[in-house]
Amino acid sequence: MTTDASVNTSVSRLVGAGAVVRLVFAGLLGVATELAGIGLIGTATWMIVRAAEQPPLAALAVAIAAVRAFALFKGGLRYAERLAGHDAVLRVLADLRTRVFAALAEPASGVSTAAPTAGSTAGRSLNAGDKSDISGHSGGQLGRADLGGAAGSGGDVLSRVVSDVDAVQDVILRGVLPACVAALVGIGAVAGIGAVEPLAGAVLAAGLLVAGVLLPWLGHVLSRRGSAAIAAARGDVTASAVDVVHGVAELAAYGALPRALDRAAGQGRRLARLEARAASVGAVVGGIAALVPALLAVGIALAVDGSAAPVLALIALAVGEVVVPLASAAVRQSELRAALARVRALLAAGSASRVDHAVVVPDKPGQTGRVAAPQVHDQHEWGVRLAGVTVRYPGSFAAALERVDLDIPAGRRVAVVGSSGAGKSTLLDVIAGRVEVEQGAVEGFPDGVERWRVAGGVFADAHVFHATVRENVALWRDGFDDDAVRRALTDAGLPEYGDRLDELVGEDGAKLSGGQRQRLLLARALLDAPPVLLLDEPTEGLDPAAADAVLATALRAAGDRTVVVVTHRQADLARFDDVVRVEAGRLGRG
Ligand SMILES: Nc1ncnc2c1ncn2[C@@H]1O[C@H](COP(=O)(O)OP(=O)(O)OP(=O)(O)O)[C@@H](O)[C@H]1O
């Protein structure tokens, strides 16, 4: 008559001993409430049957008093049971949240002193992305399936940790407590009715087994696979929503926004389909279970003779009602089991205080067919002209760029240098049309062609998606096969990832080193480089030798395109035709 013994085991590991005592108390109050209800039905039925015989009123006096008492007790006990149950569960949740947050915090101190290793993710200190991996991968103990498919991006994991912990409330209040109460009430009722009328006891036992064990088991089995798929689909939906929100500028800059939105919408539709299917399973088993009390009452009325028949039949009806909710609860419990497993693994990982950065779970290999790249990219003859451009960010008094004039002829390679905050990134944003110009004009771009088709590349706020290497380079755009992606990776100085296209890179590239992240962004820019290639510190995070090599191959890959590169490295400057110096929003040369 329990929905699932293993759920109970999981719960018992999550709640402390003090909470168990409170929960047992709430359970006993639940049993008392149900017994009062059954007593009320039984006594009232007996009274109606007896009243039909028109006895003296005194013969009914005790029954009348008992009916009133049972009714009062039932109401009072139900209130006390709800109070005790919710009090116990809220205490469990408060304790659990503290332990979960402690588990989330613990690994950070465990590894933060490790020495960073260039070009490697091992041994570096934790950042926000790593923390999401802890909550997602839990020191390598939680796989993609455990996380619900998305393998844990920050927003996704945070909301999931919160809802996973809240799931404990559902498991206890709608699963474990009702199952225990139903088991005790059912056993007591079968024993009591069986003692009066063995045949009625047998019928009741059979009905309760069907409604309280068989149907919940069936519901659990039928929904088990669907629940895992729902958890995975929900994770995917949340992860891509977070990713699209974080990376919207990047997706727009590459013209990939419609595809990314399509992908997110497709994931949403899949989740809706899975949830509808699970709801159907719950409705079917719940509906069948709802028939059982009535069938029990009819069965007992037919099996028993005499005036006891209606009393026993209605008592059986009341007992049957206690087990009816278990069938649909079992369907929901299947889904909650995954949440409990994640919370337990998280607590275990927290106490183990380990972080395993090496876990990289391959995604499904995706292939894209080769189609022609946008035609404008085949023409490499665009220069850029800025005439008196002033940019002021909303809320800022000082202009980020002031009356800037700049002429970059087609095919020129220009380095942009200057101190931090001088306006270098803003200059690239102006060329790419990513910021509004207060005054002046950006000239040289053809009418009727989106600016991103002409000028784009690696920007200061570039986003790495919580997706595979392939998806991060191609951004779900059609027309780039794996060879093209590998070529771009090689041009960007990241050839070793050519064989690892299916690897997930973590939230905003959390599984990559700073230099690898930057080169991944460079590969994205080089995959289908626009005629005006803009690169904001493409070699940031690399040692000088690696930075030289990457810049050299990237410029070679850029061919005769116009290239504008923001750099802090003096050594880079020899590779450029012009050097533009930005200081406090104004331009100078060399
Ligand atoms: N989104 C924004 N909102 C408000 N002010 C901004 C914004 N982005 C940049 N700024 C301001 O504009 C100025 C120029 O910023 P910009 O990022 O272009 O400098 P930068 O030369 O690229 O600096 P760094 O080398 O540190 O990246 C700075 O004073 C900066 O604080």
Side-chain angles (χ1 to χ4, degrees):
M1 212 155 298
T2 165
T3 51
D4 188 341
S6 58
V7 169
N8 296 351
T9 320
S10 314
V11 172
S12 68
R13 274 188 236 160
L14 293 176
V15 302
V20 170
V21 174
R22 286 172 196 279
L23 288 171
V24 169
F25 179 61
L28 291 176
L29 282 173
V31 171
T33 310
E34 299 303 344
L35 290 180
I38 293 164
L40 176 64
I41 294 274
T43 318
T45 312
W46 179 87
M47 202 174 69
I48 292 166
V49 172
R50 186 79 179 89
E53 297 165 3
Q54 298 187 330
L57 193 58
L60 299 177
V62 174
I64 292 169
V67 166
R68 282 187 182 159
F70 278 133
L72 284 174
F73 273 125
K74 189 185 171 197
L77 285 168
R78 176 69 75 206
Y79 180 73
E81 180 233 339
R82 291 282 144 91
L83 211 60
H86 282 82
D87 176 58
V89 168
L90 290 177
R91 284 169 192 268
V92 168
L93 285 187
D95 171 58
L96 204 54
R97 284 191 187 114
T98 311
R99 285 157 61 200
V100 163
F101 284 120
L104 282 172
E106 203 169 341
S109 55
V111 295
S112 60
T113 52
T117 314
S120 146
T121 56
R124 69 194 157 87
S125 61
L126 287 172
N127 57 26
D130 298 316
K131 190 60 71 64
S132 79
D133 279 355
I134 295 162
S135 45
H137 288 290
S138 294
Q141 295 180 26
L142 286 180
R144 190 174 166 76
D146 298 319
L147 280 165
S153 70
D156 169 26
V157 168
L158 188 62
S159 66
R160 225 168 332 146
V161 166
V162 171
S163 68
D164 284 354
V165 172
D166 286 348
V168 173
Q169 175 175 347
D170 240 15
V171 169
I172 294 175
L173 287 180
R174 296 201 176 74
V176 178
L177 270 184
C180 293
V181 169
L184 288 173
V185 171
I187 290 168
V190 168
I193 291 182
V196 178
E197 196 62 60
L199 185 56
V203 172
L204 180 62
L208 293 183
L209 283 174
V210 169
V213 177
L214 185 65
L215 287 171
W217 173 80
L218 201 62
H220 171 64
V221 169
L222 290 177
S223 59
R224 193 170 39 196
R225 197 176 301 167
S227 299
I230 285 175
R234 196 169 287 146
D236 287 344
V237 166
T238 320
S240 51
V242 169
D243 241 359
V244 168
V245 169
H246 285 176
V248 66
E250 193 77 353
L251 291 166
Y254 283 85
L257 190 55
R259 296 303 299 267
L261 290 176
D262 274 357
R263 176 173 166 265
Q267 287 169 333
R269 282 193 297 275
R270 180 164 176 272
L271 175 61
R273 270 199 308 277
L274 290 168
E275 286 184 330
R277 211 174 299 158
S280 307
V281 172
V284 169
V285 291
I288 297 172
L291 295 175
V292 170
L295 293 174
L296 268 178
V298 172
I300 288 178
L302 293 175
V304 177
D305 291 329
S307 61
V311 178
L312 295 182
L314 283 172
I315 287 178
L317 185 74
V319 176
E321 293 293 349
V322 179
V323 299
V324 165
L326 299 187
S328 5
V331 174
R332 172 110 178 93
Q333 300 298 310
S334 306
E335 204 177 312
L336 297 178
R337 273 165 57 89
L340 290 195
R342 284 194 293 267
V343 173
R344 272 187 296 132
L346 185 57
L347 293 175
S351 54
S353 204
R354 283 189 294 113
V355 177
D356 176 5
H357 288 286
V359 178
V360 178
V361 189
D363 203 339
K364 54 195 172 299
Q367 297 292 328
T368 51
R370 181 132 183 87
V371 298
Q375 232 189 344
V376 69
H377 282 201
D378 294 338
Q379 306 168 19
H380 305 152
E381 297 158 4
W382 261 293
V384 183
R385 218 166 25 257
L386 272 61
V389 166
T390 296
V391 172
R392 198 180 317 270
Y393 287 104
S396 299
F397 177 71
L401 287 180
E402 195 150 13
R403 293 197 296 277
V404 167
D405 296 309
L406 177 65
D407 190 2
I408 305 176
R412 291 296 270 190
R413 293 171 171 194
V414 177
V416 181
V417 298
S419 53
S420 179
K424 304 182 294 296
S425 301
T426 305
L427 183 66
L428 293 200
D429 285 341
V430 166
I431 296 172
R434 300 172 91 231
V435 290
E436 218 167 299
V437 171
E438 185 184 276
Q439 261 181 22
V442 184
E443 297 162 358
F445 291 102
D447 288 338
V449 177
E450 296 111 315
R451 184 79 69 86
W452 63 266
R453 291 190 185 275
V454 182
V458 178
F459 297 100
D461 59 355
H463 182 70
V464 171
F465 292 84
H466 183 55
T468 62
V469 171
R470 176 193 292 106
E471 288 167 330
N472 263 293
V473 175
L475 287 185
W476 303 280
R477 293 168 293 174
D478 284 335
F480 306 107
D481 60 14
D482 285 354
D483 285 343
V485 172
R486 284 194 192 98
R487 242 188 337 268
L489 285 165
T490 305
D491 289 342
L494 212 53
E496 65 270 27
Y497 275 83
D499 296 330
R500 297 158 67 181
L501 298 182
D502 292 319
E503 280 188 17
L504 291 170
V505 298
E507 187 194 16
D508 207 14
K511 290 182 178 182
L512 304 173
S513 70
Q516 285 171 331
R517 182 184 183 285
Q518 211 61 9
R519 280 176 284 165
L520 187 71
L521 293 169
L522 181 58
R524 183 187 293 167
L526 294 176
L527 178 67
D528 181 30
V532 179
L533 181 60
L534 308 170
L535 303 175
D536 200 332
E537 303 194 40
T539 57
E540 192 189 13
L542 294 180
D543 59 76
D548 278 346
V550 168
L551 186 64
T553 46
L555 289 176
R556 205 162 37 242
D560 54 0
R561 290 173 176 79
T562 306
V563 183
V564 184
V565 177
V566 170
T567 180
H568 280 114
R569 285 165 30 86
Q570 202 64 30
D572 286 348
L573 303 185
R575 297 188 184 279
F576 293 90
D577 303 319
D578 290 316
V579 177
V580 171
R581 179 167 293 280
V582 185
E583 281 313 335
R586 290 173 181 273
L587 249 55
R589 290 273 161 178

